[in-house]
Amino acid sequence: QVQLEESGGGLVQAGGSLRLSCAASGNIFSIAAMGWDRQAPGKQRELAATITSGGTTNYADSVKGRFTISRDNAKNTVYLQMNSLKPEDTAVYYCSARITKRSGYTNNYWGQGTQVTVSS
């Protein structure tokens, strides 16, 4: 079994910062890409940022220049540093990881989500 556990969400004023963390645990042989999706109220889930095992990053245009994704491969953990937050960043943030189990089975996994609320 594989678990992804997010932490670091909360309430912040516009212009502030938050750092999200997500640790993967369980039956893990290797992790390829990791990332963060977000879903705002009444909107579809969208990709915010991704990072490969080699450290190549990709960002949605809406967060580029304000958010930074990073990972610690030794800890199976991915981070999202969010700066200059705007009310439109308010959403539930989900971490994701493409994980290969020791059996060789590979699939995409998501955490339960953490709420980020930005007040104006």
Side-chain angles (χ1 to χ4, degrees), residues 20-82:
L20 306 183
S21 299
C22 173
S25 62
N27 181 6
I28 298 172
F29 175 73
S30 65
I31 303 178
M34 303 184 81
W36 292 91
D37 297 342
R38 64 183 186 177
Q39 187 165 21
K43 295 188 177 181
Q44 288 189 329
R45 187 180 292 197
E46 64 174 0
L47 177 70
T50 60
I51 184 168
T52 67
S53 58
T56 300
T57 59
N58 184 51
Y59 297 95
D61 287 342
S62 57
V63 307
K64 204 170 292 184
R66 299 186 298 120
F67 290 11
T68 302
I69 189 170
S70 61
R71 63 190 283 176
D72 184 331
N73 291 330
K75 296 181 179 179
N76 291 337
T77 299
V78 62
Y79 306 97
L80 188 67
Q81 178 67 43
M82 305 185 293

Side-chain angles (χ1 to χ4, degrees), residues 8-20 38-41 66-67 82 84-93 113-120:
L11 174 65
V12 65
Q13 288 189 330
S17 298
L18 281 175
R19 188 192 195 210
L20 306 183
R38 64 183 186 177
Q39 187 165 21
R66 299 186 298 120
F67 290 11
M82 305 185 293
S84 302
L85 283 161
K86 304 175 181 180
E88 50 264 44
D89 294 317
T90 295
V92 178
Y93 284 71
T114 185
Q115 177 70 45
V116 171
T117 303
V118 184
S119 63
S120 57

